[in-house]
């Protein structure tokens, strides 16, 4: 497919080349990339700044959007924040770390902390960290070395994430202090991008198999019972579960492009939201479940990727970021 990068086809979750490098992950092709240690010097250079600065940029009602950004001139990724009402993202990265990258942010339910993935040179994954949104109090989550896709539970007590097991990635859940870490899935495919149901009883995620397909699944955390949300042979990834109990995800459909779709948790009422000749990915619901923020990219890795807003019915499409950058993995503050 000329409209998809080979990285999307390899990983099964729509990651770009830079995204795949940064987590040092395992693709659906079963190739495990080498991980190297992040040096103490690199961590010592970390100087997390404040998400509070985003409020000064005009955040509407405090519901800021945090995201990861990199550019050709600055390939080390940092976290930025922007108001959904528009304007310029915070000019200084929220996490300014010259030799390590911070990506995949996830707000805590009370909006006081952000979880994210930190990784070092050569694509090594250092693990999941949390920080105060006012700056400082940077904490590593023990036992999450090599992990990706952190998702904070609705009660604020746990974090779900994907972690390598052999040549695949499986889902885990742990308390904020990293214990006890419980493995949720045991499959021959890659299980990625967990997202919690509003009641905290389920996780939705995407399962990417060796054949190149990926479908949205649902698992009950207490019993580990799994149910398919979307059909076999699909190319579905990056789900996000709304407070109004709908799941949005990115699907590479018959057009050859990745578009946003919404479905109920039981797999019914599937409908498409976006339909442009571009790749739409990393959707995140607004707190009221009425709008979405997502990344829209071009047809190859050289094209910029910008954040857009759209209503859940597909109307009122608005471009949020406009610089020559790659803006990814946005998360809308609860």
């Amino acid at each position: 497919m000329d409209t998809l990068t080979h990285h999307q086809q390899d990983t099964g979750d729509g990651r770009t080349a830079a995204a795949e490098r940064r987590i040092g992950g395992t693709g659906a092709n079963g190739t495990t990339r080498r991980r190297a240690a992040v040096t103490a010097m690199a961590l010592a250079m970390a100087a997390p700044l404040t998400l509070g600065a985003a409020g000064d940029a005009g955040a509407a009602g405090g519901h800021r959007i945090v995201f990861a950004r990199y550019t050709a001139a600055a390939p080390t990724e940092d976290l930025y924040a922007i108001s959904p009402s528009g304007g310029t993202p915070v000019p200084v990265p929220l996490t300014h770390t010259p030799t390590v990258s911070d990506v995949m942010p996830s707000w805590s339910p009370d909006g006081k902390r952000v979880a994210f993935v930190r990784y070092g040179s050569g694509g090594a994954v250092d693990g999941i960290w949390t920080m105060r949104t006012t700056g400082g109090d940077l904490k590593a989550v023990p036992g999450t070395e090599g992990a990706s896709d952190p998702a904070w539970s609705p009660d604020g007590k746990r974090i779900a994430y994907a972690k390598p097991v052999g040549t695949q990635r499986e889902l885990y859940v742990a308390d904020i202090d990293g214990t006890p870490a419980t493995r949720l899935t045991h499959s021959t495919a890659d299980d990625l991008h967990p997202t919690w149901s509003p009641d905290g009883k389920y996780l939705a995620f995407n399962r990417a198999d060796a054949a190149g397909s990926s479908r949205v699944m649902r698992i009950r955390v207490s019993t580990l019972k799994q149910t398919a949300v979307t059909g076999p042979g699909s190319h579905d990834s990056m789900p996000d579960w709304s407070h109004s109990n709908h799941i949005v995800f990115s699907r590479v459909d018959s057009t050859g492009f990745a578009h946003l779709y919404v479905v109920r948790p039981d797999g019914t009422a599937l409908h498409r939201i976006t339909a442009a000749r571009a790749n739409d990915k990393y959707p995140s619901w607004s707190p009221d479940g009425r709008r979405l923020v997502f990344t829209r990219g071009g047809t190859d890795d050289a094209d910029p990727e910008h954040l857009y807003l759209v209503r859940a019915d597909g109307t009122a499409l608005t471009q949020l970021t406009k610089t020559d950058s790659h803006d990814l993995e946005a998360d809308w503050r609860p």
Side-chain angles (χ1 to χ4, degrees):
M1 256 175 279
D2 58 358
T3 56
L4 293 177
T5 69
H6 70 275
H7 306 287
Q8 289 173 308
Q9 295 168 330
D10 287 346
T11 63
D13 66 345
R15 289 193 178 97
T16 62
E20 183 63 5
R21 286 196 302 270
R22 70 185 174 224
I23 66 168
T26 304
N29 59 6
T31 301
T32 304
R33 290 168 173 79
R34 181 179 60 85
R35 295 170 49 227
V38 175
T39 65
M41 180 179 296
L43 295 179
M45 294 176 68
L49 301 178
T50 173
L51 277 170
D56 298 334
H63 295 302
R64 301 183 300 274
I65 295 169
V66 65
F67 62 97
R69 165 176 285 181
Y70 74 94
T71 66
T76 299
E77 293 126 320
D78 288 297
L79 303 184
Y80 288 74
I82 189 171
S83 165
S85 61
T88 303
V90 175
V92 179
L94 303 176
T95 50
H96 184 59
T97 51
T99 55
V100 296
S101 288
D102 297 327
V103 296
M104 301 181 179
S106 174
W107 286 103
S108 65
D110 61 8
K112 294 180 178 180
R113 296 187 73 84
V114 170
F116 59 94
V117 169
R118 169 159 286 180
Y119 74 97
S121 60
V125 179
D126 189 47
I128 296 171
W129 294 65
T130 71
M131 66 172 287
R132 286 193 191 130
T133 56
T134 54
D137 195 25
L138 187 68
K139 295 181 179 179
V141 179
T144 61
E145 295 82 3
S148 63
D149 303 322
W152 219 304
S153 66
D155 62 7
K157 297 179 180 179
R158 296 172 292 173
I159 288 182
Y161 54 89
K163 186 176 179 180
V165 178
T167 60
Q168 307 300 327
R169 284 185 174 263
E170 307 290 356
L171 298 188
Y172 284 77
V173 65
D175 291 345
I176 297 303
D177 64 3
T179 59
T182 302
R183 182 175 170 181
L184 302 180
T185 60
H186 298 73
S187 72
T188 58
D190 283 324
D191 293 336
L192 303 153
H193 208 101
T195 176
W196 292 87
S197 63
D199 59 10
K201 295 181 179 180
Y202 294 88
L203 286 166
F205 62 98
N206 68 268
R207 172 165 289 165
D209 61 33
S213 297
S214 180
R215 63 196 302 189
V216 176
M217 303 287 296
R218 188 183 76 223
I219 185 170
R220 188 175 181 93
V221 176
S222 61
T223 65
L224 306 187
K225 181 181 178 182
Q226 300 179 34
T227 306
V229 178
T230 62
S234 301
H235 300 279
D236 304 335
S237 60
M238 295 169 270
D240 191 53
W241 205 322
S242 74
H243 294 300
S244 58
N245 209 30
H246 289 80
I247 297 173
V248 65
F249 60 94
S250 177
R251 166 176 286 183
V252 180
D253 56 26
S254 59
T255 66
F257 291 93
H259 296 135
L260 301 188
Y261 284 72
V262 169
V263 68
R264 289 176 179 165
D266 63 1
T268 63
L270 175 72
H271 66 277
R272 188 171 69 177
I273 298 176
T274 63
R277 292 183 63 81
N279 291 314
D280 298 337
K281 52 193 176 181
Y282 302 114
S284 176
W285 289 102
S286 64
D288 61 10
R290 296 180 179 180
R291 292 190 293 168
L292 292 152
V293 61
F294 65 97
T295 292
R296 171 164 288 178
T299 59
D300 60 55
D301 289 338
D303 291 337
E305 297 171 291
H306 298 130
L307 298 186
Y308 282 74
L309 300 177
V310 70
R311 289 178 182 165
D313 63 3
T315 63
L317 180 71
T318 304
Q319 186 173 341
L320 193 58
T321 61
K322 300 178 181 180
T323 59
D324 188 13
S325 58
H326 294 266
D327 299 335
L328 308 164
E329 303 157 347
D331 193 43
W332 206 320
R333 178 174 172 171

